[in-house]
């Protein structure tokens, strides 16, 4: 009998260890990650920005490509009634998709994305046309709304296991025309929103009392997140140490990764074409390493894992040196993933399900969800090569 009690107690301890592994152990198990992009964050609904309704088979296929976590960008405020209550049908659909991922043993990051800009823009500027400082009354009103939304969301997901992580925002004050050069000025406001998010989720209790929460940095910019002058810091947390992660995004150099017109086609020291106007002229391998090292120094080495919640590079159909462009894409993904892993950062591929390269414009699409096919095998090859070459630091 005593032996049986001992074995039962040991089993219970083992279960607790798995359930509450902590943010650092979770991060080790989450890379590489994938975004269900242009889907639940679309203000017109799930198929407003792409045409495929999410199914268990799609998530199964994503897992089969080697991904171990799924980020679900999500809109909530646009699905509320006049009293601010989230549509129960919408909550149920999001829960269904989260379960698809959990069924496959994948970690899930669920956020409040751009969501019409109600806080990510209007929480930092009282005008969306030209920057106008927000008053303290506006900030307090946004905090109340943030708390109301996250109380509803966290309560709806309170009993989901700890493979589900919450991210409070997406890209706060990201709009370049409004907020460029103002990151230092606006970061104290962002930190108030981040603290309100943490406090709100913890107050809903249950599994949320210890659930890992992900905090967004200024504009999710690595440069701003790690700049001493900007002075960004993580919130305090009643759950104690090892229950918070930090989120940044990485699309650098932008002229190679995301610029649609007159962009760079070639990246990496061995992929540049001599004398070509489409060579990337900045953001090389050394820049990438500096960014990853800065994240390590500021956050990872201090116990806060980093989620690179979005990253990607447009795959283009270029009129000359297509093979050199393809090699550039593969190399960019490989180098980012290798260096991120070496510095304890989790990459999450941005993927929008629009399988058309549109010539030189390019696309972030990697998986064709409608056909259950890999649309951009070069990206997958690069990701897996980088993951395989990297070494997690702890």
């Amino acid at each position: 009998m005593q032996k049986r009690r001992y074995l039962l107690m040991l089993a219970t301890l083992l279960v607790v260890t798995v359930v509450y592994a902590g943010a650092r152990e979770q991060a080790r198990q989450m890379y590489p990650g994938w975004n269900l992009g242009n889907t639940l964050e679309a203000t017109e609904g799930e198929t407003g920005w792409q045409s495929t309704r999410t199914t268990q088979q799609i998530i199964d296929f994503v897992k089969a490509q080697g991904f171990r976590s799924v980020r679900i960008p999500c809109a909530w405020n646009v699905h509320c009634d006049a009293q601010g209550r989230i549509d129960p049908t919408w909550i149920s659909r999001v829960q269904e998709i989260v379960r698809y991922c959990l069924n496959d043993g994948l970690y899930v990051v669920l956020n409040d994305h751009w969501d019409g800009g109600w806080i990510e823009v209007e929480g930092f500027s009282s005008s969306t046309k030209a920057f106008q400082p927000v008053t303290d009354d506006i900030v307090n009103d946004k905090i109340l709304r943030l708390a109301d939304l996250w109380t509803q969301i966290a309560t709806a997901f309170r009993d989901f296991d700890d493979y589900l992580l919450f991210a409070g925002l997406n890209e706060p004050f990201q709009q370049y025309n409004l907020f460029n050069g103002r990151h230092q000025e606006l970061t104290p406001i962002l930190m108030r929103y981040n603290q309100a998010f943490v406090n709100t989720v913890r107050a809903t209790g249950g599994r949320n009392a210890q659930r890992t929460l992900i905090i967004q940095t200024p504009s999710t910019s690595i440069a701003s997140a790690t700049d001493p002058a900007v002075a960004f810091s993580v919130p305090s947390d009643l759950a104690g140490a090892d229950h918070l992660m930090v989120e940044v995004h990485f699309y650098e150099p932008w002229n190679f990764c995301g610029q649609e017109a007159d962009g760079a086609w070639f990246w990496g020291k061995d992929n540049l074409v001599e004398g070509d106007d489409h060579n990337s002229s900045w953001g090389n391998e050394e820049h990438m390493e500096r960014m990853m090292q800065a994240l390590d120094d500021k956050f990872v080495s201090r116990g806060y894992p980093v989620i690179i919640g979005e990253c990607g590079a447009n795959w283009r159909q270029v009129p000359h040196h297509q093979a050199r462009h393809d090699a550039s894409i593969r190399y960019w993904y490989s180098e980012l993933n290798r260096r991120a892993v070496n510095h304890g950062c989790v990459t999450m591929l941005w993927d929008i399900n629009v399988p058309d390269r549109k010539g030189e414009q390019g696309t972030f699409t990697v998986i064709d969800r409608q056909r259950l096919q890999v649309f951009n095998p070069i990206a997958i090859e690069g990701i897996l090569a980088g993951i395989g070459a990297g070494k997690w630091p702890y």
Side-chain angles (χ1 to χ4, degrees), residues 87-320:
D87 179 0
T89 303
W90 181 251
I91 292 177
S92 179
R93 176 57 177 156
V94 179
Q95 288 176 325
E96 184 176 30
I97 293 174
V98 170
R99 288 191 182 98
Y100 294 158
C101 302
L102 299 181
N103 290 344
D104 279 341
L106 298 169
Y107 281 91
V108 180
V109 173
L110 180 65
N111 78 354
D112 181 22
H113 209 71
W114 174 68
D115 206 0
W118 75 270
I119 188 170
E120 298 214 331
V121 178
E122 296 168 16
F124 300 96
S125 174
S126 58
S127 169
T128 59
K129 295 179 180 179
F131 177 77
Q132 296 291 334
V134 289
T135 64
D136 205 50
D137 285 344
I138 290 175
V139 173
N140 287 331
D141 285 345
K142 295 298 182 184
I143 287 174
L144 289 174
R145 182 59 183 149
L146 180 73
D148 182 30
L149 276 178
W150 272 107
T151 296
Q152 295 179 66
I153 300 165
T155 300
F157 288 90
R158 180 166 48 201
D159 296 329
F160 281 61
D161 70 30
D162 298 290
Y163 274 63
L164 173 62
L165 293 72
F166 294 149
L169 301 170
N170 171 50
E171 292 180 346
F173 54 89
Q174 183 270 343
Q175 285 190 231
Y176 187 88
N177 62 322
L178 288 178
F179 303 119
N180 183 46
R182 300 184 182 275
H183 292 191
Q184 183 175 353
E185 170 187 353
L186 297 174
T187 291
I189 299 173
L190 171 61
M191 292 194 295
R192 290 174 65 182
Y193 294 149
N194 283 343
Q195 187 67 65
F197 161 65
V198 171
N199 293 349
T200 297
V201 173
R202 296 298 180 225
T204 61
R207 290 182 180 270
N208 293 335
Q210 296 193 59
R211 189 178 306 282
T212 296
L213 304 181
I214 302 173
I215 306 304
Q216 284 63 54
T217 58
S219 191
T220 54
S221 159
I222 297 176
S224 290
T226 59
D227 183 350
V230 174
F232 172 80
S233 62
V234 300
S236 60
D237 186 2
L238 291 174
D242 203 26
H243 289 82
L244 296 179
M245 294 186 186
V246 172
E247 181 175 359
V248 297
H249 294 171
F250 192 79
Y251 296 104
E252 296 179 14
W254 178 251
N255 64 346
F256 175 73
C257 292
Q259 186 172 311
E260 294 181 351
D262 299 318
W265 305 340
F266 313 116
W267 184 88
K269 61 183 185 300
D270 294 329
N271 297 316
L272 303 182
V273 177
E274 185 175 355
D276 198 290
D277 291 340
H278 295 285
N279 288 326
S280 180
S281 59
W282 72 282
N284 59 12
E285 297 94 327
E286 289 75 19
H287 169 81
M288 187 181 281
E289 178 63 24
R290 284 195 302 272
M291 295 295 98
M292 298 304 110
Q293 183 65 61
L295 291 172
D296 195 341
D297 292 342
K298 175 74 182 274
F299 301 113
V300 177
S301 65
R302 300 179 184 182
Y304 296 107
V306 172
I307 300 289
I308 303 177
E310 294 180 18
C311 56
N314 271 334
W315 187 35
R316 312 167 193 266
Q317 187 72 49
V318 299
H320 59 265

Side-chain angles (χ1 to χ4, degrees), residues 15-26 29 107 162 212 242:
V15 169
V16 171
T17 300
V18 171
V19 171
Y20 298 109
R24 281 168 61 83
E25 183 56 34
Q26 287 175 320
Q29 300 174 36
Y107 281 91
D162 298 290
T212 296
D242 203 26

